[in-house]
Amino acid sequence: MLTALDTGVKGGVWFSLIDKVHKRRNLQASFAKVKDNDGAAGVDHVTVTMYEQRLEANLDYLTAALREGTYRPQAIRRTYIPKADGTQRPLGIPTVQDRVVQGALKHVLEPIFERDFAANSYGFRPGRGCRDALRLVDKLLKEGYRYIVDADLKSYFDTIPHERLMERLRVKVADSRVLSLVEAFLKQGIMEDLKEWTPTDGAPQGAVLSPLLSNIYLDPLDHEMAAKGYALIRYADDFVILCRSEAEAQQALAEVQRWVAEAGLTLHPDKTRIVDIETAGFDFLGYHFCKHKGQHRHWVRKTSAQKLKQALRRKTKRKNGRSMDAIIKSINLTLRGWFGYFKHSYKTTFSTVDAWVRGRLRSILRKRQKKRGRGRGSDHQRWPNAYFADRGLFSLVTAHRKACQSLLRVNH
């Protein structure tokens, strides 16, 4: 298959792929990734650990069922996760077995489509990520791109038209069993509150295959905009178009509106706009980009900071019965992960979050001395910043300072 990817296949269409999907090594590699990601059980209540206990027998079954065309996905368990703005995002949890099959299917389909994906697409692609997209946005702003089309696809994952998506798959894949398997995953039932229903559109968020399918559907937009000279930068369903003039931005928005309508999708009317970076800012991938004192800056987006605080609040409740060392160890995991992504934000962000975290910890200590209220005033002397530093509390300010020093050494 790798050789064929380099030399090409006749007509650019793949006719025999199901044997590669059910190949034992492929299924084993897929399960390894499912195990690494862990995740909750699906509607069958089978956990990753339970599935692994009978792994060889489970893989024997999958090999036979996929080879004979008898495999049928089970329903997806629908749950919801809170968003920073107070709303909830629907999440679909397939069974462990379905996750293994989807992963094996992805291993086969991804190389076929990945090689032709547009260069300006960064989401859910090998060797690419948020940081690459953010760097390019920052670079173009500094090069003088002033007007930004800030686009928002309304409920994208839930509204991808199934038949049109299948048409895009058929351009390169002619194996009917593979196509039927993809379609079966698109149409698998969704279980919510003991009621099951079958979706007519969309690719469920949380399914292994959905990110690849979402990229396949939007790839023509990437290529069309690039061919017309527009600097579109996309991460999954989140994209911006950077332009040098307002007229160019207006034309780019019109092109996107036309393409989106033809593709059976919808732009959010309240969240899609044109921004002049000289007078306003825009959000992209957790950052807020703006012009501040004549310089291009990017800050942590308000909702991103709120999301961090939500996570930390759960770990720093005043009635927390764990030792301070255990609490600090737990919140350090959250802080380090957050810093790894937002370390390029403006420096004032970090001191604010550090102070807020220490305030939460002082409130816990205050509660343990049977005192009411939040930690403030004299509590700063009773438990100074050094008290928490000595216990290993991760400091965003210190980490940012070290990162800047490392960058200076590299540049010199």
Side-chain angles (χ1 to χ4, degrees):
M1 184 175 179
L2 290 172
T3 303
L5 282 169
D6 291 332
T7 59
V9 292
K10 187 175 181 179
V13 181
W14 294 76
F15 286 89
S16 180
L17 290 173
I18 194 66
D19 59 313
K20 300 167 182 63
V21 175
H22 64 64
K23 195 174 183 68
R24 188 64 164 226
R25 285 169 56 190
N26 186 21
L27 292 171
Q28 288 170 335
S30 180
F31 173 74
K33 289 183 180 178
V34 170
K35 182 180 178 181
D36 286 343
N37 292 331
D38 199 8
V43 294
D44 60 358
H45 307 294
V46 175
T47 64
V48 174
T49 301
M50 292 164 64
Y51 192 85
E52 187 176 25
Q53 289 170 350
R54 299 188 68 254
L55 183 60
E56 293 308 310
N58 285 327
L59 296 187
D60 285 342
Y61 162 73
L62 288 183
T63 299
L66 289 168
R67 183 175 56 237
E68 295 163 11
T70 59
Y71 185 83
R72 297 293 181 271
Q74 292 180 268
I76 288 176
R77 181 165 66 86
R78 170 63 62 89
T79 186
Y80 293 87
I81 55 176
K83 296 172 66 175
D85 60 5
T87 60
Q88 291 189 313
R89 183 191 304 279
L91 191 67
I93 303 177
T95 64
V96 173
Q97 184 162 264
D98 283 345
R99 299 204 295 262
V100 173
V101 176
Q102 287 196 33
L105 197 53
K106 180 189 174 189
H107 289 165
V108 173
L109 293 175
E110 187 173 63
I112 295 171
F113 289 91
E114 170 65 29
R115 66 196 305 269
D116 295 322
F117 278 160
N120 60 328
S121 166
Y122 293 93
F124 308 113
R125 294 184 59 189
R128 289 167 167 255
C130 292
R131 293 179 182 85
D132 303 305
L134 291 165
R135 279 192 209 99
L136 183 54
V137 170
D138 192 53
K139 176 176 177 287
L140 293 178
L141 288 173
K142 289 174 179 175
E143 287 178 0
Y145 285 76
R146 174 174 170 176
Y147 294 90
I148 297 90
V149 178
D150 184 8
D152 185 279
L153 287 170
K154 188 175 181 180
S155 303
Y156 171 62
F157 278 86
D158 293 330
T159 58
I160 301 173
H162 286 173
E163 185 50 42
R164 296 187 193 187
L165 172 59
M166 294 305 300
E167 287 174 6
R168 292 190 182 160
L169 283 165
R170 293 187 193 106
V171 171
K172 294 187 178 182
V173 176
D175 188 321
S176 60
R177 287 176 296 176
V178 166
L179 292 170
S180 295
L181 194 56
V182 173
E183 195 161 20
F185 280 120
L186 288 174
K187 296 185 181 302
Q188 66 189 123
I190 295 177
M191 183 73 74
E192 183 175 3
D193 296 331
L194 300 179
K195 295 179 182 178
E196 185 176 340
W197 53 279
T198 303
T200 56
D201 296 298
Q205 294 187 64
V208 177
L209 202 55
S210 292
L212 174 61
L213 297 178
S214 72
N215 274 335
I216 290 172
Y217 198 68
L218 286 181
D219 185 59
L221 172 64
D222 299 335
H223 284 289
E224 183 174 323
M225 297 301 284
K228 293 181 177 179
Y230 296 114
L232 181 148
I233 302 162
R234 183 174 67 81
Y235 188 96
D237 59 333
D238 196 358
F239 65 92
V240 291
I241 308 169
L242 280 75
C243 305
R244 292 189 179 274
S245 69
E246 186 174 8
E248 182 187 358
Q250 293 284 3
Q251 183 59 40
L253 177 56
E255 294 283 0
V256 168
Q257 289 171 328
R258 174 194 56 77
W259 189 95
V260 166
E262 291 175 357
L265 303 173
T266 307
L267 284 173
H268 200 297
D270 300 324
K271 296 181 180 179
T272 300
R273 62 199 180 115
I274 293 175
V275 174
D276 179 356
I277 197 65
E278 295 291 331
T279 58
F282 66 98
D283 296 331
F284 186 55
L285 299 182
Y287 279 93
H288 180 74
F289 289 82
C290 64
K291 197 87 174 277
H292 180 67
K293 295 182 179 179
Q295 298 292 320
H296 288 289
R297 303 284 191 195
H298 44 276
W299 318 74
V300 174
R301 183 181 176 184
K302 284 184 179 179
T303 52
S304 301
Q306 290 168 359
K307 192 174 180 180
L308 171 67
K309 289 184 176 182
Q310 282 178 355
L312 292 173
R313 279 192 185 99
R314 289 192 290 269
K315 296 183 175 186
T316 56
K317 292 180 179 178
R318 286 185 222 180
K319 294 182 180 180
N320 194 316
R322 305 171 71 191
S323 70
M324 182 54 60
D325 288 345
I327 295 171
I328 287 175
K329 185 177 180 180
S330 176
I331 65 177
N332 278 353
L333 293 173
T334 302
L335 289 170
R336 284 196 176 96
W338 191 82
F339 179 76
Y341 185 79
F342 288 108
K343 62 184 176 184
H344 300 296
S345 186
Y346 197 58
K347 61 184 180 181
T348 55
T349 301
F350 306 113
S351 57
T352 302
V353 175
D354 274 350
W356 183 85
V357 169
R358 287 191 296 265
R360 295 285 298 181
L361 296 177
R362 287 187 183 105
S363 295
I364 294 173
L365 293 168
R366 185 178 176 86
K367 176 73 174 176
R368 290 178 181 177
Q369 290 192 352
K370 303 192 184 304
K371 295 180 180 179
R372 294 183 178 181
R374 292 184 293 168
R376 56 179 64 182
S378 61
D379 292 329
H380 288 261
Q381 285 73 49
R382 189 176 294 110
W383 301 293
N385 294 356
Y387 172 88
F388 300 106
D390 290 343
R391 278 153 184 77
L393 178 63
F394 183 80
S395 167
L396 296 172
V397 169
T398 302
H400 182 251
R401 188 183 302 119
K402 288 179 179 177
C404 291
Q405 290 170 349
S406 297
L407 186 60
L408 283 172
R409 284 196 293 269
V410 170
N411 290 338
H412 286 291

